[in-house]
Amino acid sequence: MKYFIRIVLVFLPNFLLAQNNFKIELIAPTFENDSLYVGPPSYNGSTINIYHFKTISNKNTSFIKEINAILIKIKSRNLMEGRILYPQPFSFSYYDPKNNRLYETKLIFIEKGDHKILINRHNNLDYILDSNSPSNIEYKNLKNQLKAYDEKLKPFQNNDSKNIDTKQNFLQKYIIRQPNSYVAFWEIVNDFSKFGFTKSYLKSLSLFSQSVKKAFSFIEFKKIIDIENSTNIGGNFPDVSFNSNDKIVKSDFSNYQVTVIDYWATFCKPCIQDLPKLVELYEKYKNKGVNFISVTDENKIERIELATKILENNKVGWKNYFDVNKEFPKKLNASGYPLQILVDRNGKIIARKLGELDQIESEIKKNLE
């Protein structure tokens, strides 16, 4: 099932723009009595929380706090209003229950002013943007300049950090010329969400103007990047408390050459598929100074019971903690699964991989040697 979206943005006079209000008129006759979402792109992970805007609820729209998005029940005429202090990139998405699939547009920047959006259902979820929106014009031009860099990077895969850094070098020169560019800022956010952390983000962020640095989104993203920097390779694994009795502290690592921490969830198919391989690694290295710990990102009773059953069925013989207070992602900015973190006997993080078990074993061998 595919869709076609035509979006037209019309902006208010200057005296209204100063009020930082936005208004979205959504016309979608072929979606009538269905629902659409407007919010951060689905791949953003923990960075959905750095979005900052307010909406006025009405009988057809509601704000979904968990995903920081607006749910629109489509009628013949749909109006969304709110307040936005600076440009932010959103996607329009539709969930098709027939094939359990989410269809999502490319990014479009929403900023202060009037936005008129015409949506028709055709062969793909896409849009044509006819707009004088400054941020969308800048975004289109910037992506054209970044095309050669983006082609070398694959989302949610183990990319060569040099390719990420090369793109950041270009963006750093761009930011020096345009230090007030929210488009460049959000490009860094999206790169982090899709390609992971690299220290070059720190330099890129330092080049923005003070006005950008004072924005809520910048401040919150900088917190995430600082956590990543301090808990990435070479950083110290923080103390993590799951409840009054269960916790991971520095002394837990002192009796082992290497500790493998596996962060997973019951709805993550790759996590469950990787369990037999993890069990193999455990049997192979448990008597060679290697410890294993699992952290399950579940806090509901039925999901905890399911996780326990999955672990039992796979004959997992190491300690598992349930992160009922969501402490693990706060302390380590763990925003994806399966995540394996290797820690040495001094509590130093020596590797951080997303489901790359062959590389995890290579790191184990390297550190045992």
Side-chain angles (χ1 to χ4, degrees), residues 7-65:
I7 300 178
V8 181
L9 303 192
V10 183
F11 288 86
L12 291 169
N14 289 336
F15 74 95
L16 288 178
L17 292 182
Q19 297 178 1
N20 298 309
N21 293 329
F22 73 89
K23 183 187 293 183
I24 301 175
E25 181 183 358
L26 185 64
I27 303 171
T30 55
F31 280 93
E32 199 161 329
N33 298 319
D34 212 331
S35 296
L36 292 170
Y37 291 90
V38 182
S42 61
Y43 56 75
N44 267 40
S46 62
T47 60
I48 64 171
N49 296 316
I50 75 172
Y51 276 69
H52 189 56
F53 61 97
K54 292 183 179 180
T55 60
I56 301 172
S57 298
N58 58 48
K59 62 181 181 180
N60 294 331
T61 66
S62 56
F63 184 70
I64 312 298
K65 185 177 180 181

Side-chain angles (χ1 to χ4, degrees), residues 310-327:
I310 292 170
L311 294 171
E312 289 175 351
N313 289 343
N314 283 277
K315 296 181 172 57
V316 170
W318 58 84
K319 181 67 178 177
N320 175 77
Y321 297 102
F322 291 102
D323 190 23
V324 294
N325 297 319
K326 304 296 182 182
E327 183 86 356

Side-chain angles (χ1 to χ4, degrees), residues 34-35 79 89 96 103-104 131 179 204 212-213 234 254 319 358:
D34 212 331
S35 296
L79 188 65
D96 186 354
Y103 295 87
E104 189 169 26
S131 170
S204 299
V212 174
K213 289 179 179 179
S254 60
K319 181 67 178 177
D358 289 340

Side-chain angles (χ1 to χ4, degrees), residues 3 6 13 39-40 43 47 51 60 70 148 166 192 198 211 226-227 245 247 256 302 305 337 339 343 349:
Y3 312 92
R6 179 177 178 82
Y43 56 75
T47 60
Y51 276 69
N60 294 331
I70 306 166
T166 300
F192 168 74
T198 174
S211 62
D226 287 343
I227 291 172
N245 297 317
K247 58 188 68 177
Y256 305 94
E302 62 273 15
E305 291 175 351
Y337 320 96
L339 171 65
V343 187
I349 295 173

Side-chain angles (χ1 to χ4, degrees), residues 86-87 175 178-186 204-205 207-220:
Y86 43 84
I175 296 165
Q178 301 191 57
N180 292 314
S181 174
Y182 281 98
V183 170
F185 165 71
W186 287 105
S204 299
L205 293 175
L207 299 173
F208 284 101
S209 67
Q210 286 302 311
S211 62
V212 174
K213 289 179 179 179
K214 291 178 182 178
F216 172 87
S217 298
F218 184 97
I219 292 169
E220 293 303 306

Side-chain angles (χ1 to χ4, degrees), residues 289-310:
V290 181
N291 187 32
F292 284 69
I293 298 173
S294 284
V295 177
T296 309
D297 186 22
E298 304 290 359
N299 58 5
K300 295 181 179 179
I301 293 176
E302 62 273 15
R303 306 304 292 187
I304 290 175
E305 291 175 351
L306 175 60
T308 301
K309 186 176 181 179
I310 292 170

Side-chain angles (χ1 to χ4, degrees), residues 138-309:
E138 181 188 351
Y139 180 62
K140 181 179 180 180
N141 291 335
L142 177 59
K143 293 303 287 184
N144 285 334
Q145 297 176 61
L146 291 171
K147 186 175 181 180
Y149 303 101
D150 288 335
E151 287 175 346
K152 295 180 180 180
L153 296 167
K154 304 299 180 185
F156 316 112
Q157 295 185 28
N158 193 37
N159 289 283
D160 187 338
S161 60
K162 291 180 181 178
N163 290 331
I164 303 175
D165 292 341
T166 300
K167 179 178 178 179
Q168 288 304 307
N169 289 337
F170 175 89
L171 281 172
Q172 288 158 15
K173 295 174 184 176
Y174 184 90
I175 296 165
I176 290 171
R177 297 193 304 271
Q178 301 191 57
N180 292 314
S181 174
Y182 281 98
V183 170
F185 165 71
W186 287 105
E187 186 67 12
I188 297 170
V189 173
N190 287 325
D191 280 3
F192 168 74
S193 300
K194 292 187 290 186
F195 310 130
F197 174 79
T198 174
K199 287 183 179 292
S200 58
Y201 296 141
L202 293 166
K203 181 176 180 181
S204 299
L205 293 175
S206 71
L207 299 173
F208 284 101
S209 67
Q210 286 302 311
S211 62
V212 174
K213 289 179 179 179
K214 291 178 182 178
F216 172 87
S217 298
F218 184 97
I219 292 169
E220 293 303 306
F221 182 63
K222 183 63 164 54
K223 290 177 183 177
I224 292 173
I225 292 300
D226 287 343
I227 291 172
E228 281 277 348
N229 186 45
S230 64
T231 60
N232 215 279
I233 297 172
N236 293 315
F237 193 93
D239 291 349
V240 182
S241 178
F242 304 106
N243 55 50
S244 57
N245 297 317
D246 294 331
K247 58 188 68 177
I248 299 175
V249 296
K250 186 176 180 179
S251 58
D252 293 331
F253 308 119
S254 60
N255 293 327
Y256 305 94
Q257 283 286 102
V258 182
T259 297
V260 180
I261 299 174
D262 179 49
Y263 181 59
W264 73 292
T266 58
F267 54 82
C268 168
K269 288 184 179 180
C271 299
I272 299 171
Q273 291 169 350
D274 279 353
L275 273 177
K277 174 65 174 176
L278 276 171
V279 171
E280 285 183 22
L281 293 178
Y282 171 73
E283 294 297 334
K284 187 174 181 179
Y285 293 103
K286 67 179 181 180
N287 296 322
K288 298 180 180 180
V290 181
N291 187 32
F292 284 69
I293 298 173
S294 284
V295 177
T296 309
D297 186 22
E298 304 290 359
N299 58 5
K300 295 181 179 179
I301 293 176
E302 62 273 15
R303 306 304 292 187
I304 290 175
E305 291 175 351
L306 175 60
T308 301
K309 186 176 181 179

